[in-house]
Structures are given as structure tokens and as C-alpha cells.
Amino acid sequence: MCFTKVKRVTHYKIRSIFLLYFTKTLRIFSNLNTHEKAVLTYILTFIEPVLMLVLILTLPPLLGGQMGCQLFQRTVKGISLTKEGMYLLNKFSPLMTQYHHVLDEVTEHFESQPMKLQFCCAPLIFRCIDPELLFDFQEKYKNITLEMLELSDVNCDKYVEENVTRLGLLAIPENRHGEKIPYTLVKTFPLYLFVHKDNPLAKKQSVNFSELKNENFLMLDKKSYYKNLVWHYAKKYHFEPKVAFESSDANQLISLVNKGRGVALSLEPMYDQGVYGNLVMIPFDDKDITWSIAFIYQDYERLSNAAHKFMSFIIENVR
């Protein structure tokens, strides 16, 4: 039952109240983060019209006495619209339909604008994942131009830390996850031991890291987190690794292993038996010795829409 005395409500008054609410909503909307905007947009776009009216016209202080009537009534079956509420719903329904059309047009307009997405990338990332994905992404999103900066692991970290809107694609050792800045995992690879075929370790089905105590390590240089990983596991197994050679060129290290100059830790995609005929790849018995490719950033919510699309595309398509 409706107990509030019904007053005559003019179209002007309804429109004024709606515009007042809409203006306040826009002000609030501009201060929301990406996730909150997505939630609000979902609510405004997909909820039932009756619930839309509840949100628009019952939030205080907009309804308090300004409409001069009761729009909802409680019955044994729940809450329903009164005669006045149904009248208002019928008046606003065409506007809401128009709102959906305008929202679609505005979304399509902004998403079709040319934009550039710059991101840093550690060397050899696209040796481990298919570089065709970059072309596929730009074919799907023709308005987004990718600009890749190839930097060392350390410099990629610094690049992202300098600006809250920046994105990086980095190779991260398992023990380093989450220690510095947030990340989103793309894929984790087991690390293998690369040895010359004449090395006694080459005959083993798997190797324990402690068995590398007397081996000569061929290492990526200090700008890579590879070196930190080797020292981490050497410490775990109570020895200090013997470093025979350092380089920023992973292919050079593998070439030296192929010539019997030492051992190296690497990934299966780097193993090319056709090129390195003397090379043997052996798994570790410690399954925690892994290497991951991950996106790094300071604040996911502050990344651009293009960055979100790129991250989703890569994660969904990497096998």
C-alpha cells in the first residue's frame, strides 16, 4: 500500500532531479579507478530497469521529498513499483534505450582512436614465446601500435619503476616473484642444465644442483636476474659457483657449452640440436628451479586500456 500523499509531479521536476543525479554520478565516476568504473558501467548497462530506478531515485538525498510521491511499495511478494513509479519508468525507458546506444557509440569511438603502447621487454623473451603474437595483436587491434624497448632485466625493472603507467615483460626466476613490484604471470618454464655431451653429467636422467659444485658456470652478466638465480641455488646447496665467463649474449654462452667450456642453465626453447650438435639438455630433480615470463607494473589500475588488452591477449594465446 502507498501511504504517502501523491502530489502532481511535473516533467520539469523529474528531469531536474534526474540531471542532478546524473551530474553527481559523472563527478563521482571521474574519481573512480578502472575496476570501480567497470563495476559501475556494468550496473548502469545490464541491471533491470526497476533496479535502475531504485539506484537513481531512492538514493538520498535526491528522493527525500523532492518527488512528492512514493515510487515503490512493499508487499508480501517483495518490492514493486507503484502507479507513479510505473509512470516514471515508462517515461525514462526510451531515455535508457538511447543511453545504451550512445554508450556503445562513445565506447566504439574511443576504442578506435589511434594509440601507442610502449613496453619494455627483456632479451630472448620472444625466443621463448612466439613473436607472431605481436603481429596477431596488431591485426586484431589495428588502432594500437606496439613500441617495444628491449632492455636488460635490471633496466626493465627501472623503466617500470620510473612511471606508474609503464608496463614491462620480464623473465623472472621463481625465487624472485613478488619481491620487488607486482607482476602477472604469463608462463613458467622449467630450467635445464646445458652440458657438453662428454661431460659425465650428460649421461644422467636428472641432475641435482649440488652436483654442479665443481663445474665452470657460463653466466649471463649482472644486469640479468639469471646470475641471482644461480647464486640462490648454490647457496641452498652449500657451495660457491665457479664463474668461468659472463656475457649478455645467451647464444654465446650456449655456443661455449657446445665447445665444452662449461655448463649453463637455460630453457628448452633455447635448445637447438641442429646448431649445437654437442649439447645435452638435462632436467633438474628440483622442480622449483624454474624461470617465468611475467608482465610487471606498479599499479594495474593505472595502466592504459591498450596495456590491459595487450596483457590479456598475450596471456590467452601463449601455450
Side-chain angles (χ1 to χ4, degrees), residues 132-226:
E132 282 290 319
L133 291 175
L134 299 177
F135 294 93
D136 294 342
F137 176 81
Q138 292 194 138
E139 286 178 5
K140 181 175 181 179
Y141 300 102
K142 299 185 185 300
N143 62 309
I144 302 176
T145 301
L146 296 176
E147 183 177 315
M148 185 174 72
L149 306 175
E150 187 168 275
L151 303 173
S152 68
D153 294 346
V154 172
N155 288 337
C156 197
D157 261 349
K158 290 179 179 178
Y159 169 84
V160 171
E161 290 171 345
E162 286 173 356
N163 191 307
V164 73
T165 64
R166 287 181 176 177
L167 178 68
L169 188 56
L170 192 63
I172 306 177
E174 184 71 26
N175 65 295
R176 186 261 193 191
H177 281 179
E179 288 184 356
K180 298 194 69 173
I181 54 178
Y183 72 95
T184 297
L185 185 67
V186 175
K187 185 174 182 178
T188 297
F189 299 84
L191 272 173
Y192 291 87
L193 178 68
F194 282 24
V195 299
H196 189 274
K197 64 181 181 180
D198 293 335
N199 188 310
L201 294 174
K203 298 178 175 59
K204 299 178 71 69
Q205 295 298 311
S206 65
V207 64
N208 185 275
F209 203 90
S210 63
E211 296 178 82
L212 306 183
K213 182 176 181 179
N214 298 317
E215 298 295 329
N216 293 319
F217 280 85
L218 305 172
M219 307 269 276
L220 289 171
D221 65 19
K222 61 183 179 181
K223 290 186 177 181
S224 167
Y225 290 123
Y226 171 97

Side-chain angles (χ1 to χ4, degrees), residues 1-251:
M1 296 293 293
C2 178
F3 296 101
T4 302
K5 183 179 180 181
V6 178
K7 297 180 181 179
R8 185 177 299 276
V9 183
T10 65
H11 292 295
Y12 175 79
K13 199 168 188 178
I14 294 173
R15 183 177 61 187
S16 297
I17 294 170
F18 179 78
L19 288 177
L20 175 63
Y21 172 77
F22 193 67
T23 302
K24 290 186 176 181
T25 301
L26 286 178
R27 289 173 184 167
I28 295 171
F29 193 82
S30 65
N31 293 322
L32 298 179
N33 61 35
T34 303
H35 176 70
E36 290 167 335
K37 287 179 181 177
V39 171
L40 183 58
T41 301
Y42 179 87
I43 291 173
L44 292 176
T45 307
F46 295 107
I47 64 174
E48 292 292 320
V50 172
L51 294 180
M52 175 71 79
L53 276 177
V54 173
L55 286 173
I56 292 177
L57 298 170
T58 64
L59 290 176
L62 299 178
L63 185 61
Q66 296 187 60
M67 295 298 296
C69 65
Q70 183 171 325
L71 302 175
F72 302 94
Q73 60 186 353
R74 184 182 295 277
T75 68
V76 292
K77 295 182 179 181
I79 297 175
S80 63
L81 286 170
T82 63
K83 176 182 176 182
E84 291 73 25
M86 185 61 69
Y87 169 80
L88 198 59
L89 173 63
N90 292 334
K91 288 293 182 181
F92 274 109
S93 289
L95 292 177
M96 296 314 301
T97 301
Q98 184 181 6
Y99 162 78
H100 293 316
H101 291 318
V102 171
L103 181 63
D104 290 340
E105 290 177 6
V106 170
T107 301
E108 182 180 356
H109 171 77
F110 285 112
E111 290 189 346
S112 64
Q113 295 299 301
M115 61 185 73
K116 180 177 70 174
L117 173 60
Q118 185 182 82
F119 68 100
C120 69
C121 179
L124 301 176
I125 289 289
F126 287 100
R127 177 80 180 265
C128 299
I129 60 177
D130 192 350
E132 282 290 319
L133 291 175
L134 299 177
F135 294 93
D136 294 342
F137 176 81
Q138 292 194 138
E139 286 178 5
K140 181 175 181 179
Y141 300 102
K142 299 185 185 300
N143 62 309
I144 302 176
T145 301
L146 296 176
E147 183 177 315
M148 185 174 72
L149 306 175
E150 187 168 275
L151 303 173
S152 68
D153 294 346
V154 172
N155 288 337
C156 197
D157 261 349
K158 290 179 179 178
Y159 169 84
V160 171
E161 290 171 345
E162 286 173 356
N163 191 307
V164 73
T165 64
R166 287 181 176 177
L167 178 68
L169 188 56
L170 192 63
I172 306 177
E174 184 71 26
N175 65 295
R176 186 261 193 191
H177 281 179
E179 288 184 356
K180 298 194 69 173
I181 54 178
Y183 72 95
T184 297
L185 185 67
V186 175
K187 185 174 182 178
T188 297
F189 299 84
L191 272 173
Y192 291 87
L193 178 68
F194 282 24
V195 299
H196 189 274
K197 64 181 181 180
D198 293 335
N199 188 310
L201 294 174
K203 298 178 175 59
K204 299 178 71 69
Q205 295 298 311
S206 65
V207 64
N208 185 275
F209 203 90
S210 63
E211 296 178 82
L212 306 183
K213 182 176 181 179
N214 298 317
E215 298 295 329
N216 293 319
F217 280 85
L218 305 172
M219 307 269 276
L220 289 171
D221 65 19
K222 61 183 179 181
K223 290 186 177 181
S224 167
Y225 290 123
Y226 171 97
K227 188 173 183 178
N228 296 353
L229 180 76
V230 172
W231 279 91
H232 171 82
Y233 281 101
K235 183 178 180 180
K236 178 180 178 180
Y237 289 97
H238 312 294
F239 71 91
E240 184 173 321
K242 295 191 296 183
V243 180
F245 184 77
E246 289 188 6
S247 172
S248 61
D249 186 348
N251 290 316

